Amino acid sequence: MSTLPPCPQCQSEYTYEDGAQLVCPECGHEWSAEAPVVADEGPRVVKDANGNVLQDGDSVTVIKDLKIKGSSLVVKVGTKVRNIRLVDGDHDIDCKIDGIGAMGLKSEFVRKA
């Protein structure tokens, strides 16, 4: 049948060639046919601004004033955030800040408390 590799994202076997690219019709992922498929390196490690490894449930302190988009609120330097949750995506940390509510933070703007 086909000697094309399965999709690296969804493992679908229905990949096809489109010029120099391989395309998955199920998830829409495109990748280069020449590039080797890199295996997942395992669990992702999230580090704070000082290089300390963060885990779910840790407490962190904000190290920079952070303006909140679409609002006039600001998360001030020194704000303590308890019980963080690590997530994948643009922002590494989901948390709830007293007086502000639920929000996402980048790990580069916090330090482990």
Side-chain angles (χ1 to χ4, degrees):
M1 193 145 162
S2 174
T3 59
L4 296 174
C7 175
Q9 284 201 330
C10 70
Q11 303 304 319
S12 171
E13 60 187 41
Y14 302 112
T15 58
Y16 64 91
E17 289 182 276
D18 185 17
Q21 298 276 19
L22 294 175
V23 180
C24 175
E26 291 186 15
C27 70
H29 180 65
E30 296 182 7
W31 69 101
S32 173
E34 290 85 33
V37 177
V38 178
D40 192 18
E41 292 126 21
R44 194 178 108 188
V45 177
V46 178
K47 296 184 178 181
D48 68 358
N50 295 334
N52 298 318
V53 176
L54 297 174
Q55 297 178 349
D56 286 341
D58 282 347
S59 293
V60 295
T61 304
V62 178
I63 62 169
K64 177 182 176 184
D65 281 348
L66 301 173
K67 295 180 183 177
I68 300 174
K69 286 186 179 179
S71 173
S72 62
L73 298 174
V74 175
V75 179
K76 295 287 189 180
V77 172
T79 301
K80 270 205 153 191
V81 181
R82 290 186 288 282
N83 199 20
I84 64 170
R85 187 168 53 104
L86 302 178
V87 295
D88 290 331
D90 186 28
H91 293 76
D92 303 328
I93 300 170
D94 272 350
C95 61
K96 192 180 230 184
I97 299 177
D98 293 338
I100 295 175
M103 66 180 305
L105 295 173
K106 291 187 178 184
S107 59
E108 61 200 54
F109 299 123
V110 299
R111 66 178 163 87
K112 197 169 186 175

